[in-house]
Amino acid sequence: MRGTAVAAIALTSLMVVSACAKDSGGGTTPAASGKGCEFSAPPTAPATSSTSTANDKKVDGSALKIGLAYDIGGRGDASFNDLAAAGFDKAIADMGVKKENTRELSAAPNEDESAKQTRLRQLASEGFNPIVGVGFAYTESLKVVAPEFPNVKFGLVDSAVDGVANVTPLVFAEQEGAFLAGVVAAYQSRKCHVGFVGGVDIPLIQKFEAGYFQGAKTAAPKVSIDKKYITPAGDFTGFQDPPKGQEAAKGLIDKGADVVYPAAGASGIGVFAAVKEAGVLAIGCDADQYNQPAVAANRDVIVASSLKRVDVAVYDFFHAAAANDLASLPKVFDLKSDGVGYATSGGKIDAKLQGILEGYRAQIIEGRIKVADAV
């Protein structure tokens, strides 16, 4: 199921390789301005892929009613929610779910906890089953609502509800994909100076920061890294404020960063705008953002994207729930299970750097590199 799902979802089409980018080998990378980084000895790419695939069993979902409760931003955020929407759409198409038996509801920024409970309760009381809550913000609500509907299968992206049997956690090793983004940033930087923009200063986004910092430092130990969070913990507007994303990125660029990586939801749209205006580079997050319509005007600055395959997790949850086989889902969606990864759409990563990335990817999968989930 895993391999077929990954291959079929359009948002995660990967690995466009080009030989037209700058040299990406060890030593110092020359650049038009700045000296570039001095790199550690890179790992060798494996001869074959280290991930495994499984058969996808067709299931009949024509009698199901499936629901999706988005985090703030909803469908159209060019990131986290759009990936959930892609998995939802694929499940509908592949399992034969009738359109009238589907429902999508969205959250509002900084809404009261009772609004989330009402949203989940509405879906469950109207007969939708299974239901996915997109984002850790639904954790507390599911502690209350899921026990009220013990026969409804709930999936929860980015969190878990201990002791509630009908809530399946869909969690990720975000730090592993971010590590590879850090490697790309170090190799693409002309000044050996990179930046990170976080949407909200919370443990989930700190996982991206930790992986990115570790990847950049592993590839280039002397790289300079600056960071900026848009909002503090508790203020979730940082995931849906492109102007503030643009301002945060401009601050990092003014400090000297020439590659910027946002883990900021829809606010990343503003980051890409600032990067385009400054004539520097960016790395996408969650989705293959080079191919996202919402960032089409600035996509030429995106050299790669780290992938958090929320689309795969959402699709796999609906598929497994329909097959009554939730135990088949991975405990964590990581590099080994193809739950996270990277995309190089746009042809800006040459074959040599592609091989280096595959080498680091293999070392993480094999356990030779342990990626920290906190700075």
Side-chain angles (χ1 to χ4, degrees):
M1 180 170 66
R2 300 223 38 78
T4 304
V6 170
I9 297 176
L11 280 172
T12 57
S13 60
L14 300 180
M15 314 305 184
V16 179
V17 181
S18 171
C20 65
K22 69 183 181 183
D23 180 75
S24 304
T28 300
T29 301
S33 61
K35 188 179 179 182
C37 288
E38 294 182 0
F39 299 112
S40 305
T44 302
T48 58
S49 172
S50 300
T51 55
S52 61
T53 60
N55 292 325
D56 188 1
K57 298 177 182 178
K58 201 74 175 174
V59 298
D60 180 9
S62 58
L64 291 179
K65 295 179 68 175
I66 66 174
L68 191 67
Y70 289 112
D71 204 345
I72 60 171
R75 188 186 282 262
D77 73 342
S79 185
F80 187 76
N81 287 296
D82 269 355
L83 286 166
F88 185 66
D89 292 344
K90 177 174 168 53
I92 292 167
D94 281 10
M95 299 192 306
V97 181
K98 299 178 177 66
K99 192 64 179 177
E100 61 267 26
N101 287 340
T102 68
R103 181 72 57 80
E104 303 169 62
L105 300 174
S106 292
N110 295 331
E111 66 184 6
D112 188 85
E113 186 65 34
S114 63
K116 295 180 178 62
Q117 293 182 21
T118 298
R119 187 175 303 116
L120 295 170
R121 200 174 279 118
Q122 177 184 342
L123 289 169
S125 63
E126 292 178 0
F128 290 94
N129 182 20
I131 297 167
V132 171
V134 183
F136 66 89
Y138 286 100
T139 306
E140 296 303 316
S141 297
L142 279 170
K143 288 180 182 178
V144 175
V145 176
E148 296 175 4
F149 300 91
N151 294 322
V152 174
K153 298 181 178 72
F154 292 94
L156 177 57
V157 175
D158 278 345
S159 191
V161 179
D162 294 335
V164 182
N166 60 325
V167 178
T168 299
L170 306 173
V171 294
F172 300 81
E174 294 93 346
Q175 69 275 12
E176 293 183 355
F179 180 102
L180 299 175
V183 173
V184 172
Y187 274 92
Q188 292 292 304
S189 176
R190 296 182 171 188
K191 300 178 182 178
C192 204
H193 191 158
V194 303
F196 173 82
V197 175
V200 183
D201 194 357
I202 53 176
L204 174 64
I205 305 305
Q206 291 161 8
K207 290 172 70 177
F208 287 96
E209 176 194 344
Y212 181 66
F213 277 42
Q214 185 178 342
K217 288 287 188 181
T218 299
K222 295 182 181 179
V223 66
S224 295
I225 312 175
D226 287 314
K227 67 179 180 179
K228 175 67 177 179
Y229 280 90
I230 297 171
T231 57
D235 181 359
F236 294 102
T237 62
F239 290 131
Q240 200 182 14
D241 196 332
K244 286 187 178 178
Q246 187 168 2
E247 180 183 348
K250 186 177 184 304
L252 296 179
I253 294 165
D254 288 346
K255 288 182 177 180
D258 62 358
V259 183
V260 182
Y261 173 55
S267 297
I269 296 171
V271 172
F272 299 137
V275 168
K276 177 69 172 289
E277 183 179 359
V280 293
L281 299 174
I283 298 172
C285 185
D286 289 344
D288 183 356
Q289 292 195 295
Y290 181 88
N291 289 320
Q292 286 287 304
V295 298
N298 300 314
R299 73 174 188 169
D300 55 310
V301 304
I302 300 174
V303 296
S305 293
S306 71
L307 299 177
K308 177 177 175 177
R309 295 188 170 114
V310 178
D311 49 347
V312 173
V314 168
Y315 171 82
D316 282 2
F317 171 75
F318 284 129
H319 187 282
N324 198 29
D325 189 21
L326 291 173
S328 67
L329 295 173
K331 297 299 182 184
V332 177
F333 288 85
D334 56 9
L335 278 175
K336 188 172 184 178
S337 65
D338 284 320
V340 298
Y342 70 100
T344 59
S345 299
K348 295 179 174 63
I349 302 299
D350 67 17
K352 194 170 185 179
L353 179 50
Q354 181 85 42
I356 291 169
L357 289 169
E358 283 299 293
Y360 279 120
R361 175 177 173 272
Q363 288 193 346
I364 294 169
I365 290 171
E366 293 164 5
R368 296 168 63 189
I369 293 177
K370 301 288 188 183
V371 185
D373 61 6
V375 176

